[in-house]
Amino acid sequence: MSYKEITGQPCSGKTQFLTNEVQSNSQSEAYHQGTFRKVLNFLNGIYYLGFHRTITIYKWSMLESASLLFRHNIFRNAVTKFGIYHSLYPLAKDNSKIHYIDEGISHLPYLFQNTSTKMIVEFLSSELKDIEIILIESPAGNEIQNRLMNRGHKRLKFISVETFVSRNMEIDRILRDLYPKLCKTMDVS
């Protein structure tokens, strides 16, 4: 069994990679959550994180260049990722399937654009040791920029596409350096 998280910058091909993996291997499954499970995972995430770590995530969310509603959505999204990890990781250890999580807790550096990536990775270090990570390699900056412009992204309401791509490329470089030392395994695809 394994618990694998897929991460990478927006429009790098994470969802397509996940779809291909699940379709090509009957021993794998993608984690999906509906509204009810999202609420449960959020509450489970708060329980797992505790007061101080939850407040840290809230503070990071409030630093983002976005509307207040969007910053609260970032907070909810980040905490929910911990709820998924807390509830799924122990179960995943006890069965034979490969459990894929699209944008799990290893994806937090991409959520918090205005917080030090190294600080976020340090915050995640105790969880990362259990996680097999697949970092989806980003195509060249112009390709990512074109995909973002064609598909759209909620962040682009608040920052320029050039700034967003540049920051995500920087996060990619940092994670390529740090994650192999901290994660159970890390593959770049």
Side-chain angles (χ1 to χ4, degrees):
M1 176 310 299
S2 59
Y3 174 97
K4 296 186 179 193
E5 291 188 357
I6 299 170
T7 194
Q9 70 171 290
C11 292
S12 60
K14 296 179 300 294
T15 303
Q16 186 61 50
F17 176 86
L18 176 62
T19 300
N20 293 343
E21 286 296 305
V22 170
Q23 287 177 350
S24 67
N25 184 348
S26 63
Q27 289 295 78
S28 64
E29 69 181 36
Y31 181 80
H32 297 287
Q33 58 179 349
T35 304
F36 180 71
R37 195 179 268 181
K38 280 182 185 178
V39 171
L40 282 178
N41 284 330
F42 176 74
L43 296 172
N44 197 17
I46 289 174
Y47 171 76
Y48 173 76
L49 287 165
F51 179 76
H52 294 293
R53 289 183 85 197
T54 301
I55 291 301
T56 298
I57 289 175
Y58 185 78
K59 287 178 182 177
W60 291 346
S61 301
M62 292 303 109
L63 294 174
E64 291 305 300
S65 303
S67 69
L68 183 60
L69 178 62
F70 193 85
R71 287 181 279 164
H72 279 109
N73 283 335
I74 292 170
F75 170 70
R76 179 195 42 77
N77 187 355
V79 170
T80 299
K81 292 177 188 312
F82 283 94
I84 294 167
Y85 168 80
H86 179 62
S87 62
L88 187 59
Y89 179 72
L91 297 174
K93 289 192 302 188
D94 295 332
N95 75 45
S96 60
K97 287 205 179 265
I98 299 169
H99 297 270
Y100 285 102
I101 293 79
D102 192 0
E103 297 185 357
I105 60 173
S106 62
H107 193 72
L108 259 62
Y110 296 100
L111 287 182
F112 299 116
Q113 301 272 307
N114 292 338
T115 300
S116 161
T117 301
K118 290 180 180 178
M119 185 186 310
I120 296 165
V121 171
E122 184 178 317
F123 181 87
L124 300 173
S125 63
S126 64
E127 288 84 14
L128 289 173
K129 67 181 173 25
D130 297 328
I131 302 172
E132 296 176 47
I133 293 177
I134 300 168
L135 178 68
I136 303 301
E137 190 166 17
S138 301
N142 288 341
E143 177 62 26
I144 285 284
Q145 210 166 311
N146 291 338
R147 288 181 188 180
L148 282 165
M149 297 301 288
N150 289 333
R151 293 186 206 170
H153 193 283
K154 293 175 185 175
R155 292 275 181 149
L156 300 181
K157 294 177 186 174
F158 310 108
I159 59 175
S160 73
V161 67
E162 294 84 6
T163 300
F164 190 50
V165 169
S166 174
R167 177 64 176 125
N168 284 322
M169 292 291 200
E170 178 186 6
I171 291 167
D172 270 357
R173 285 189 298 276
I174 294 168
L175 296 185
R176 282 174 183 253
D177 180 49
L178 297 177
Y179 273 1
K181 302 168 195 168
L182 298 171
C183 299
K184 185 174 182 180
T185 65
M186 185 183 115
D187 294 321
V188 178
S189 290

